[in-house]
Amino acid sequence: MARLSLFILLLLLSLVCITGAEKPVRFPRRSRSRAYIENACTKTLYPSLCIQYLSVSANSMTIQTPQQLAQAALSVSLYKALQTRTFMLKVVKELKARKSKDYQAVKDCLDQIGNSVDQLSESVRELHRLERPDAEGGDNVFWHISNVETFVSSAMTDASTCLDGFPGRNMNKSRAMIKAKVLNVAQTASNALALFHRYAAKYKP
């Protein structure tokens, strides 16, 4: 547990400088971790986003195995969900103070993103349980794999439900920013699920 917690802490610290519409990180040379990430991300639905976020973590730690990649991807997704929830908490507070008509819609979306945070947190914990030595070769392996898949899928569904509350393109700046951040959560969760499937494949007969 200590090793996993340290990995996630280092990753989250390396992501602190990343916000919604970041510019791609530039590297003086193409490291082995970077090359590994680029190749793996081609199998996701949002490869550019995948490379952009995961390459940041390659600056501070080695990512050269499916396990390390799955850990990093789930942690990135959790980080983006936490970041979005923090932003929305501030917006909800401001809307409530102004008695804005947008308050309820944003509050409902905040509840959904809160659920996404919980689900993604559980997926990180469940991945750690999957990696425990006593899980190797037992029925627990498939139980943990199923749990991770369920948690991440649920996080994606919660984000999509939130997006349903913001239809159309004609919206104010606050709504547009919320929609962009929530979409980012859904996309990073999708990428994380794809990379987890790549890792979990080793357990399948």
Side-chain angles (χ1 to χ4, degrees):
M1 176 64 75
R3 184 178 178 183
L4 178 64
S5 298
L6 178 60
F7 181 94
I8 295 173
L9 177 61
L10 289 172
L11 180 59
L12 295 185
L13 287 175
S14 70
L15 289 168
V16 166
C17 62
I18 298 180
T19 54
E22 311 87 333
K23 295 181 179 180
V25 179
R26 297 188 181 277
F27 294 84
R29 60 186 178 86
R30 192 167 179 266
S31 68
R32 185 176 299 178
S33 290
R34 165 87 175 184
Y36 180 78
I37 288 168
E38 288 179 352
N39 180 64
C41 284
T42 61
K43 308 301 191 299
T44 66
L45 287 179
Y46 311 99
S48 296
L49 198 68
C50 178
I51 293 170
Q52 178 184 342
Y53 289 156
L54 293 182
S55 292
V56 174
S57 61
N59 275 350
S60 57
M61 63 194 71
T62 300
I63 299 179
Q64 295 180 14
T65 68
Q67 174 184 331
Q68 292 168 341
L69 198 63
Q71 287 177 338
L74 286 172
S75 297
V76 165
S77 186
L78 173 58
Y79 172 80
K80 300 306 293 185
L82 286 166
Q83 188 184 57
T84 299
R85 184 178 67 178
T86 298
F87 172 78
M88 292 184 66
L89 281 168
K90 180 180 179 181
V91 173
V92 164
K93 184 177 180 180
E94 293 173 350
L95 292 176
K96 185 176 183 180
R98 302 202 315 260
K99 296 183 179 179
S100 170
K101 62 180 181 179
D102 290 335
Y103 168 76
Q104 192 57 52
V106 177
K107 176 63 170 58
D108 291 343
C109 184
L110 172 60
D111 292 340
Q112 295 296 331
I113 292 302
N115 291 338
S116 290
V117 168
D118 293 341
Q119 298 290 344
L120 291 169
S121 297
E122 286 299 323
S123 74
V124 172
R125 296 189 188 98
E126 201 65 22
L127 177 58
H128 172 67
R129 297 185 186 108
L130 174 61
E131 293 160 1
R132 288 172 53 187
D134 59 356
E136 292 282 352
D139 292 337
N140 283 343
V141 167
F142 301 105
W143 170 255
H144 295 312
I145 289 174
S146 177
N147 285 344
V148 173
E149 292 172 340
T150 299
F151 289 138
V152 180
S153 295
S154 295
M156 293 168 60
T157 298
D158 289 328
S160 295
T161 300
C162 171
L163 289 172
D164 290 342
F166 298 91
R169 296 182 179 180
N170 297 323
M171 57 183 70
N172 58 39
K173 182 178 179 180
S174 179
R175 277 183 166 236
M177 187 170 294
I178 289 173
K179 186 173 182 178
K181 287 181 176 293
V182 174
L183 181 60
N184 191 256
V185 172
Q187 291 174 340
T188 56
S190 171
N191 285 345
L193 185 59
L195 295 175
F196 173 74
H197 284 155
R198 185 173 185 267
Y199 163 62
K202 75 172 187 175
Y203 292 104
K204 297 179 180 179

